[in-house]
């Protein structure tokens, strides 16, 4: 979400200035011209051997941007000087992966251009490039983000949308970040790839109303029975991995939305998208349209998300190591 300041000199016209005005394509063209190429080549070399990391890296980007903006605060480790646990150990982030991937790229970039390229921009570029490598959509990533110096674990629970959320909560969570209902539907489309642990949805199978044995009536009963028989065989299962888009979880396509219309979204937050006439209409339109149309719209929402509360100019810093603030 951009922060806007009105500059009104002694004339009648006011100029609207956005805090993300300094994000631009190829921000490092002069200061570190090989930066984006280095990142792309590293992604091309490693993601084909570990394609599931693409989903993990776009999730990291999402979780980073929703807490204090896209400032790489999600990468910071706890230190005694900071005095608080960081986002990394916040409950929504305990299953994040890809930290070493980012660290390895940062080392290569630092060797090329010390102190120039932010960890925040590396996350943003890696997320995009990883999705493209597995055959997904391309989106523009204007750069110039700077790294934050504050990371607080408790903020992950208040700011990151939960898989247990209903529609109104999701709507509010996204609105707080300057994202609308179209963005909510489109960004949820990233669930077309990746996997989840049973703990993110097993309440829908075993304990939906708070009474053991109750099941979420909005979940297709045949799908629920299959999950209980073959995947999450008990409410205490915290190790089994389940595809978020069964049968198509390696392909960035429209099948996630088709499953929503069959009441087969894995998370409560997925099912919530069909409970609003507005978001249901967007889903219907996506399913009726082409994959190319989805890619174009998804790209627009990703670029918008990548601008949430960014730090530019002299705000923040360029970390030397992504896991710690500069001393």
């Amino acid at each position: 979400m951009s922060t806007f300041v009105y500059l009104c000199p002694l004339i009648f016209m006011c100029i609207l200035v956005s805090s993300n005005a300094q994000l631009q394509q190829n921000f490092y063209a002069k200061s570190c011209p090989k930066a984006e190429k280095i990142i792309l080549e590293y992604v091309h070399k490693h993601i084909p051997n570990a394609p599931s990391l693409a989903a993990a890296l776009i999730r990291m980007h999402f979780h980073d941007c929703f807490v204090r903006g896209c400032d790489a605060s999600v990468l910071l480790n706890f230190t005694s000087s900071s005095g608080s646990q960081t986002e990394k150990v916040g409950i929504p982030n305990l299953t994040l992966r890809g930290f070493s991937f980012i660290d390895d790229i940062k080392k290569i970039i630092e060797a090329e251009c010390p102190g120039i390229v932010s960890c925040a921009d590396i996350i943003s570029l890696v997320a995009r490039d990883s999705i493209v490598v597995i055959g997904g959509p391309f989106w523009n990533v204007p750069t110039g983000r700077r790294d934050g110096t504050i990371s607080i674990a408790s903020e992950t629970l208040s700011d990151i949308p939960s898989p247990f959320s209903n529609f109104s909560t999701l709507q509010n969570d996204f609105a707080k970040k300057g994202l609308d209902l179209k963005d909510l539907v489109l960004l949820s489309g990233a669930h077309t790839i990746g996997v989840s642990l049973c703990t993110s949805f097993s309440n829908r199978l075993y304990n939906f109303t708070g009474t053991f044995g109750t099941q979420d009536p909005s979940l297709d009963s045949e799908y629920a029975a299959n999950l209980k028989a073959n995947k999450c065989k008990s409410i205490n299962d915290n190790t089994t991995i389940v595809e978020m888009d069964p049968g198509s979880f390696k392909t960035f396509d429209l099948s996630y939305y088709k499953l929503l219309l069959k009441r087969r979204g894995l998370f409560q937050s997925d099912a919530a998208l069909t409970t609003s006439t507005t978001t249901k209409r967007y889903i219907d339109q996506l399913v009726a349209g082409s994959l190319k149309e989805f890619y174009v719209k998804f790209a627009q929402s990703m670029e918008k998300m990548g601008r949430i509360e960014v730090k530019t100019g002299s705000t923040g810093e360029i970390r030397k190591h992504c896991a710690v603030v500069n001393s």
Side-chain angles (χ1 to χ4, degrees), residues 236-306:
N236 300 315
D237 186 333
N238 60 7
T239 57
T240 300
I241 292 172
V242 181
E243 298 169 10
M244 296 167 75
D245 184 1
S248 180
F249 79 106
K250 294 182 179 179
T251 309
F252 209 102
D253 56 21
L254 289 163
S255 70
Y256 163 76
Y257 296 112
K258 294 174 182 176
L259 289 174
L260 292 188
L261 298 179
K262 296 177 180 177
R263 299 191 299 122
R264 293 191 171 200
L266 196 60
F267 301 147
Q268 201 170 335
S269 58
D270 293 325
L273 301 181
T274 63
T275 63
S276 152
T277 54
T278 303
T279 50
K280 170 69 162 50
R281 185 172 69 251
Y282 293 152
I283 293 167
D284 288 334
Q285 291 170 352
L286 287 168
V287 169
S290 68
L291 186 61
K292 183 179 179 180
E293 289 170 332
F294 167 47
Y295 278 14
V296 169
K297 292 173 181 176
F298 181 83
Q300 291 168 348
S301 289
M302 282 301 302
E303 184 173 346
K304 189 174 175 182
M305 187 191 81

Side-chain angles (χ1 to χ4, degrees), residues 20 22-24 27-28 61 64-65 69-72 116-125 139-148 302-313 315 317-318:
N20 66 31
Q22 294 176 65
L23 285 190
Q24 60 188 64
F27 179 84
Y28 301 107
H61 182 33
D64 181 43
C65 290
C70 310
D71 68 346
I116 299 295
V117 181
S118 70
C119 300
D121 277 339
I122 291 174
I123 294 176
S124 302
L125 289 162
W139 62 90
N140 290 320
V141 179
T143 43
R145 297 167 190 78
R146 288 170 66 83
D147 298 323
M302 282 301 302
E303 184 173 346
K304 189 174 175 182
M305 187 191 81
R307 292 180 177 273
I308 294 175
E309 298 166 15
V310 294
K311 296 167 178 64
T312 59
T315 307
E317 64 180 16
I318 305 299

Side-chain angles (χ1 to χ4, degrees), residues 4 17 20 24 35 62 112 157 168 192 195 204 211 269 287 307 325:
F4 294 102
V17 180
N20 66 31
Q24 60 188 64
F62 185 96
E112 176 73 21
L157 285 170
S168 61
T192 186
V195 294
R204 301 184 75 198
T211 302
S269 58
V287 169
R307 292 180 177 273
V325 296

Side-chain angles (χ1 to χ4, degrees), residues 24 32 37-38 41 49 56 66 77 95 108-109 121 146 165 173 177 194-195 199 215 222 240 247 252 257-258 273:
Q24 60 188 64
C32 190
K37 185 170 183 280
I38 288 170
E41 287 179 350
N49 299 323
F66 266 73
N77 288 337
T95 52
I108 299 169
I109 293 286
D121 277 339
R146 288 170 66 83
S165 292
D173 286 345
K177 302 301 175 183
V195 294
T199 48
Q215 189 169 293
E222 185 179 331
T240 300
F252 209 102
Y257 296 112
K258 294 174 182 176
L273 301 181

